[in-house]
Amino acid sequence: MSILVVDDSPVNRRVLEATLRVEGFREILGASSAEEAFRLLGIEPAEKPASDVEVILMDVVMPGIDGFEACRRIKATPHLSDTPIIIVTAMSETESIEKAFDAGASDYLSRPISRVELHARLRMALAVRREQESRKARERELLAVTQQLEFANRKLTELTRTDGLTGVANRRHFDETIEVECRRLRRATHALSAPAWLSLLMIDVDHFKAFNDAYGHPRGDVCLQQVAAALKRALLRPADVVARYGGEEFAVILPDTPPDGAFNVAERLRIAVQELGITHTRNTAASVVTVSVGVASSPAPESADLLASADAALYEAKRGGRNRVHVATCANRPVA
Amino acid sequence: MGDPPTLDSQTLRSLRELGGETPDLLIAELFALFRSTLDSQVQALRQSVAAVSTEVVAAAAHTIKGSAASIGALEVASICARMETAARAGMVRDLPADLVLLQRASERLLRRMAEIESESKGAGP
């Protein structure tokens, strides 16, 4: 911690230095010009200063850059913006005093400087500085805490939306999302070209109850986790949402997906699950775990209708033998 | 208020106090520093007055004023203050006269400084 005295007169510097020493300051730096001061402060060239300067005593008239300009530049430097600068004038030049404050000085002193005055001004300047530093430290703390809180909030939000077992979206999040997507579609104005479709897949693990009976619930849980992971992996677009709809039932929302696109996705998902190769001797459709998928699409859906449609399609898939995709018939687009 | 003193005794006292254990040493150091630059500074002032370079006059006068005030040489400081103010206002008429006054005041100052230094030497430990 040091004090910097900037003055082109060696007499002035020596007097100030002697005064400061008597006041108990040990580390006193001297500069004979603003340029030299900038070097010592790490402004020009820009580098870490040799010492942490607590307060600056600045003469006004100096060859080269004057005290006011030096004051402005120092105040404009980020790591020095809080360092108090006391302008030292000779014989109370009132014009200088105003200019001093305009330049960012926190105080002024007139030569000859009495010890008492110097002591008082320095104490005040240092007190103000310490107050500012502690305020900034508190601000930093507050910022850190706020960020921690925001992070915690995000985590919390994620938790409320996520299914604990499988890590995909939970039923509640699904209900919200399907509603939002339906509303958005109904609001959107359609271009003259093909309308936008919202597609919904209802996916149910085949003979899951039997799986639990045969292999136990813990294995059943693991199976669900693996199925969910496979579904998630197979979905390519960030807007596509997979959620756990019920015990062994998943739902996939595909915004902006027409019926044939939805069918392709559904097939991809069905195959992905089958390729997991989880042994399931009680499955009728295959010797491994499989899913049945119901697909429904609409350009302007009510969520309840779309759900009912996908459910019905799922039922058909089950009835048709399981491990297959069934697309709900739609008035506009007959499906093979 | 009377004329400003050649060397203000109150300032001198304060400066002595600053010297701590060795008050005379600090005074000697300050006087030496002051003397070493006074001549050249007065010379620069003289040249700028002759050339009527008011900006240089103001700067030179200001410099001497500052150092003089620091050691309590208030007579010299006050003449320089006057010259500085005049030069800044562009009023050059009285500058040569003030220069003469400054010369005389400087001589008085140097004599007084020598007196003080020999006084302290004479006083002994």
Side-chain angles (χ1 to χ4, degrees), chain A residues 213-227:
Chain A
D213 292 339
Y215 302 107
H217 282 268
R219 292 267 297 267
D221 281 351
V222 172
C223 170
L224 287 175
Q225 284 171 338
Q226 289 175 313
V227 168

Side-chain angles (χ1 to χ4, degrees), chain A residues 30 47 74 86 105 132 161 183 193 202 250 276 292-293 326:
Chain A
E47 57 189 26
I74 293 168
I86 302 176
Q132 278 174 333
R161 288 189 185 173
R183 253 187 270 137
S193 56
M202 294 302 277
F250 295 91
L276 285 172
S292 301
V293 186
H326 187 96

Side-chain angles (χ1 to χ4, degrees), chain B:
Chain B
M1 189 183 143
D3 292 324
T6 301
L7 210 47
D8 176 50
S9 44
Q10 191 173 337
T11 309
L12 270 182
R13 249 197 316 277
S14 311
L15 290 176
R16 280 217 167 82
E17 274 174 39
L18 291 182
E21 300 284 297
T22 51
D24 297 329
L25 211 55
L26 179 63
I27 299 286
E29 199 186 330
L30 290 172
F31 283 0
L33 276 171
F34 185 82
R35 270 196 293 259
S36 69
T37 50
L38 183 64
D39 263 354
S40 57
Q41 282 169 353
V42 171
Q43 182 71 332
L45 187 56
R46 181 174 299 118
Q47 281 171 352
S48 57
V49 168
V52 200
S53 326
T54 51
E55 265 186 46
V56 184
V57 170
H62 179 97
T63 303
I64 304 172
K65 175 187 79 174
S67 315
S70 281
I71 60 170
L74 299 184
E75 188 190 11
V76 164
S78 119
I79 298 170
C80 289
R82 200 164 59 226
M83 291 181 79
E84 182 189 357
T85 310
R88 283 201 204 285
M91 300 193 331
V92 301
R93 193 197 56 187
D94 292 330
L95 288 176
D98 274 335
L99 203 52
V100 173
L101 289 174
L102 178 63
Q103 191 62 50
R104 298 214 187 105
S106 301
E107 284 159 20
R108 276 195 288 278
L109 175 60
L110 290 171
R111 275 199 300 274
R112 184 81 190 102
M113 282 161 73
E115 266 170 40
I116 289 168
E117 279 175 314
S118 63
E119 267 168 31
S120 55
K121 283 200 192 100

Side-chain angles (χ1 to χ4, degrees), chain A residues 18-237:
Chain A
T19 316
L20 289 168
R21 268 193 212 287
V22 162
E23 288 299 315
F25 296 96
R26 290 286 156 258
E27 256 220 79
I28 303 162
L29 301 176
S32 62
S33 66
E35 291 84 349
E36 198 185 329
F38 293 160
R39 249 192 327 270
L40 285 168
L41 292 166
I43 299 176
E44 181 84 53
E47 57 189 26
K48 202 173 184 318
S51 172
D52 199 11
V53 171
E54 266 193 301
V55 64
I56 301 171
L57 292 165
M58 177 82 71
D59 184 26
V60 173
V61 175
M62 293 182 286
I65 298 171
D66 72 20
F68 300 126
E69 181 56 32
C71 193
R72 264 189 289 272
R73 288 232 209 142
I74 293 168
K75 280 300 189 179
T77 309
H79 73 271
L80 295 164
S81 59
D82 284 339
T83 308
I85 302 177
I86 302 176
I87 294 271
V88 180
T89 72
M91 298 173 99
S92 50
E93 304 148 316
T94 41
E95 184 201 284
S96 289
I97 293 165
E98 257 214 54
K99 284 173 80 171
F101 287 122
D102 282 343
S106 48
D107 213 337
Y108 76 94
L109 278 166
S110 289
R111 270 186 258 273
I113 301 172
S114 80
R115 266 179 62 192
V116 171
E117 257 196 318
L118 182 63
H119 180 89
R121 298 285 207 265
L122 283 174
R123 269 191 63 172
M124 196 166 72
L126 291 170
V128 168
R129 179 171 200 240
R130 272 163 208 160
E131 188 46 49
Q132 278 174 333
E133 294 205 312
S134 97
R135 182 179 50 79
K136 286 206 167 159
R138 282 199 297 273
E139 273 175 20
R140 276 194 299 269
E141 261 176 49
L142 202 66
L143 188 64
V145 167
T146 306
Q147 281 172 346
Q148 277 168 17
L149 229 88
E150 277 173 8
F151 181 74
N153 266 351
R154 272 200 303 276
K155 285 268 136 187
L156 218 69
T157 307
E158 266 173 48
L159 278 171
T160 60
R161 288 189 185 173
T162 311
D163 173 58
L165 176 67
T166 59
V168 299
N170 60 15
R171 172 61 180 271
R172 184 171 129 186
H173 187 52
F174 169 82
D175 288 342
E176 284 170 6
T177 308
I178 190 77
E179 203 49 53
V180 166
E181 289 297 330
C182 287
R183 253 187 270 137
R184 177 186 308 163
L185 209 49
R186 285 199 301 273
R187 266 204 314 265
T189 51
H190 295 297
L192 287 174
S193 56
W197 294 77
L198 178 65
S199 289
L200 175 65
L201 311 181
M202 294 302 277
I203 305 172
D204 189 285
V205 178
D206 297 328
H207 294 301
F208 187 68
K209 233 179 115 327
F211 186 94
N212 268 340
D213 292 339
Y215 302 107
H217 282 268
R219 292 267 297 267
D221 281 351
V222 172
C223 170
L224 287 175
Q225 284 171 338
Q226 289 175 313
V227 168
L231 295 178
K232 209 165 162 187
R233 268 195 306 272
L235 288 174
L236 304 173
R237 302 180 313 177

